[in-house]
Amino acid sequence: MTGGGKGRLFTVGLVTAWYSSNIGVLLLNKYLLSNYGFKYPIFLTMCHMAACSLFSYAAIAWLRLVPMQLPRSRLQLAKIAALSLVFCASVVSGNISLRYLPVSFNQAVGATTPFFTAVFAYLMTVKRESFLTYLALVPVVTGVIIASGGEPSFNLFGFIMCVGATAARALKTVLQGILMSSDGEKINSMNLLMYMAPIAVILLAPATIFMEDNVVAITMELAKKDFNIIWYLLFNSSLAYFVNLTNFLVTKHTSALTLQVLGNAKGAVAVVISILIFKNPVSVTGMLGYTLTVIGVILYSEAKKRTKQ
């Protein structure tokens, strides 16, 4: 096999691993929080962040996948802590929403991330996009409104949590661009995760204690009846790190734009797989709404690409 063939095969393998880990952690979260009955989304998120802390350090300090970047100042650490807080809010809200909403609808709402990104970018940086870019956001939002009206399993609290998670994810992207934009403060995503994850654990620990009382003891009691819960948590937490690792590697070996396009397709794949696995009812109206949202996201990506050319 030629070098080019090996390179393409490696890239396909990376994309497959990224898809598998992304969809896998989403479906396993849904299974644990909804079907299995493990109703502790904050503790679950803390497990994810603990795994990310451990594996990030191992990947950078021991395996040397990327050079270690030390924080340059207390101010930079404070900025990382702020990003970590927003990151926690997005992951916890997303996990809470999975208790109440099917994965298909969760992904439909999540596809509106570009809308919130554009709003926050304008509010915080007064950065205006082209008219075509804003126009492409109309079907994104319209699609979710249609999908909401046609969703048989619609839950208002779950919907609010899902919108909150999507908005927080977009806010983190914009904040990261602002806080880490200067040459002296640029830090790659692997190092950023290594510093954000332990801060997230520190932030989530008191929230877990106060809001999910006695969760560790309850988990141990569950493990006595069904030890699989421990394996589920360990595997799920490891997958959560693998999502970040493969995200970094796919971006490194392709481009951020390719990742965005692949992400649009990933949402559609996750919807189909989740419907097949969880058998959640889906209406024609809901699927039409989701399809419109995906079309809007694709148009948005194209509009953004044209403005950069």
Side-chain angles (χ1 to χ4, degrees), residues 118-119 122 127-138 300:
V119 170
Y122 179 75
K127 180 186 175 185
R128 293 191 178 188
E129 301 287 355
S130 68
F131 175 73
L132 276 177
T133 304
Y134 286 124
L135 191 63
L137 292 172
V138 175
Y300 175 81

Side-chain angles (χ1 to χ4, degrees), residues 81-109:
L83 286 174
S84 187
L85 180 62
V86 178
F87 183 50
C88 281
S90 97
V91 179
V92 170
S93 300
N95 283 341
I96 291 173
S97 75
L98 284 171
R99 276 189 60 189
Y100 302 95
L101 297 175
V103 173
S104 53
F105 188 57
N106 180 282
Q107 288 295 286
V109 178

Side-chain angles (χ1 to χ4, degrees), residues 143-269:
V144 170
I145 294 170
I146 293 171
S148 301
E151 176 53 52
S153 308
F154 182 82
N155 178 282
L156 182 59
F157 179 69
F159 176 71
I160 292 169
M161 286 292 102
C162 197
V163 171
T166 306
R169 198 179 309 126
L171 178 60
K172 177 187 168 288
T173 301
V174 175
L175 277 176
Q176 191 170 325
I178 296 169
L179 299 180
M180 303 292 173
S181 58
S182 67
D183 291 335
E185 293 196 324
K186 281 182 180 174
I187 184 169
N188 66 55
S189 60
M190 291 280 283
N191 275 272
L192 185 60
L193 181 67
M194 183 178 69
Y195 294 118
M196 280 173 54
I199 295 171
V201 172
I202 293 168
L203 292 170
L204 290 168
T208 303
I209 292 167
F210 289 111
M211 298 176 71
E212 297 179 342
D213 189 39
N214 219 21
V215 63
V216 176
I218 292 168
T219 305
M220 291 300 103
E221 282 299 314
L222 279 172
K224 289 177 184 177
K225 298 173 186 175
D226 181 11
F227 195 75
N228 284 335
I229 184 63
I230 302 299
W231 295 118
Y232 287 144
L233 289 173
L234 288 173
F235 181 62
N236 192 21
S237 300
S238 301
L239 263 186
Y241 170 71
F242 203 60
V243 167
N244 289 281
L245 175 63
T246 53
N247 188 81
F248 171 78
L249 292 174
V250 170
T251 306
K252 183 180 177 182
H253 290 277
T254 56
S255 67
L257 183 63
T258 302
L259 190 75
Q260 191 175 32
V261 173
L262 290 170
N264 297 340
K266 173 187 67 72
V269 173

Side-chain angles (χ1 to χ4, degrees), residues 1-78:
M1 187 180 289
T2 63
K6 286 181 180 178
R8 281 192 293 273
L9 191 62
F10 178 71
T11 303
V12 169
L14 275 181
V15 171
T16 303
W18 181 65
Y19 261 54
S20 302
S21 56
N22 263 277
I23 296 171
V25 78
L26 182 68
L27 297 180
L28 193 48
N29 282 350
K30 175 63 179 176
Y31 174 73
L32 284 171
L33 294 167
S34 186
N35 296 61
Y36 189 85
F38 186 78
K39 299 176 181 178
Y40 305 101
I42 302 175
F43 178 70
L44 182 64
T45 307
M46 192 174 76
C47 290
H48 289 180
M49 293 301 104
C52 287
S53 302
L54 178 65
F55 289 132
S56 292
Y57 183 79
I60 295 171
W62 299 342
L63 301 179
R64 303 185 186 281
L65 290 183
V66 293
M68 183 174 285
Q69 296 173 282
L70 297 174
R72 294 174 180 266
S73 64
R74 288 183 181 179
L75 178 61
Q76 189 181 34
L77 265 178

